[in-house]
Amino acid sequence: MTFRRYMPLTWDRCDLRNKAMVKKLTVQRLDIPDVLVVTPAKFGDARGYLSETYNASAFADAGVAAIFVQDNHSLSRQKGVVRGLHFQAPPHAQGKLVRVVRGSILDVAVDIRSGSPTFGKFVSVVLSAENGQQMWLPEGFAHGFCTLEDNTEVTYKVTDYYAPECDKGIRWNDPTIGIDWPVGEEAAILSDKDKSQPFLHELHGIDGRKA
């Protein structure tokens, strides 16, 4: 008996991927211009869609020329979970590319770069599995998010490996930062560690940049 070799119909061979002139992604600079919202294109038909969620060349052209060394994936089972504000101090500072694969979050970046004109300021954006948007935070930013739905899953790429000795944080509700979280202090679900993080003014001379 002989078997006929065949090539299955894949996304790479369908007409959707032959649109060479279609822009792969769009980029929006937030009020702190070093923080970007990147939206990869979706190519869809009656079956669903394909999205190229990361392409090193396209992201570099968009201003994200980072080299990523680790991917992280978190699950938050309840709406109202707050994670953050987290960063790694030098010499293992991290840039992060954050996206949601299930559910939705309010994603927040806080500028902690010494001498920056926007030091202590924040920007935020809603990321969801539906909108497909991603937030890029370079080194020098603290990161946090609040889940807007149950069973929300977040993935993020980072530019340096996890280094527990450099793992730092800022209190999520620091009044000098003034983040407008979508959950009140009594309802927010936090780890014991995040409940007791220091305030920004207590972090003397620490930022997220490499020396």
Side-chain angles (χ1 to χ4, degrees), residues 11 16-17 19 22-23 41-45 48-51:
W11 285 102
L16 299 175
R17 294 301 303 270
K19 299 177 179 178
V22 174
K23 192 172 183 180
K42 289 183 178 180
F43 304 96
D45 62 16
Y49 69 85
L50 171 75
S51 181

Side-chain angles (χ1 to χ4, degrees), residues 40-60:
K42 289 183 178 180
F43 304 96
D45 62 16
R47 299 169 297 169
Y49 69 85
L50 171 75
S51 181
E52 199 170 75
T53 60
Y54 179 72
N55 177 296
S57 177
F59 271 70

Side-chain angles (χ1 to χ4, degrees), residues 36-180:
L36 307 179
V37 174
V38 181
T39 308
K42 289 183 178 180
F43 304 96
D45 62 16
R47 299 169 297 169
Y49 69 85
L50 171 75
S51 181
E52 199 170 75
T53 60
Y54 179 72
N55 177 296
S57 177
F59 271 70
D61 290 344
V64 184
I67 297 174
F68 298 106
V69 299
Q70 180 176 311
D71 283 11
N72 299 326
H73 187 151
S74 76
L75 166 66
S76 299
R77 298 197 182 279
Q78 295 173 273
K79 176 182 178 180
V81 169
V82 175
R83 297 181 185 267
L85 301 161
H86 302 148
F87 67 98
Q88 279 195 179
H92 295 291
Q94 293 178 325
K96 295 182 179 181
L97 181 64
V98 184
R99 74 185 184 101
V100 173
V101 296
R102 183 183 184 188
S104 58
I105 63 173
L106 179 73
D107 206 32
V108 178
V110 180
D111 189 348
I112 56 171
R113 298 172 296 181
S114 301
S116 169
T118 53
F119 177 83
K121 305 297 184 183
F122 76 93
V123 289
S124 63
V125 67
V126 173
L127 304 181
S128 70
E130 182 177 359
N131 68 26
Q133 294 182 334
Q134 304 179 34
M135 182 188 277
W136 162 245
L137 306 80
E139 296 175 10
F141 287 83
H143 174 246
F145 64 83
C146 177
T147 58
L148 304 177
E149 301 178 45
D150 293 344
N151 296 312
T152 289
E153 296 184 57
V154 177
T155 68
Y156 50 101
K157 296 179 174 293
V158 294
T159 59
D160 206 337
Y161 298 104
Y162 173 64
E165 70 278 11
C166 297
D167 186 18
K168 306 293 181 182
I170 301 168
R171 191 76 59 88
W172 73 287
N173 58 350
D174 188 326
T176 64
I177 300 173
I179 298 169
D180 185 17

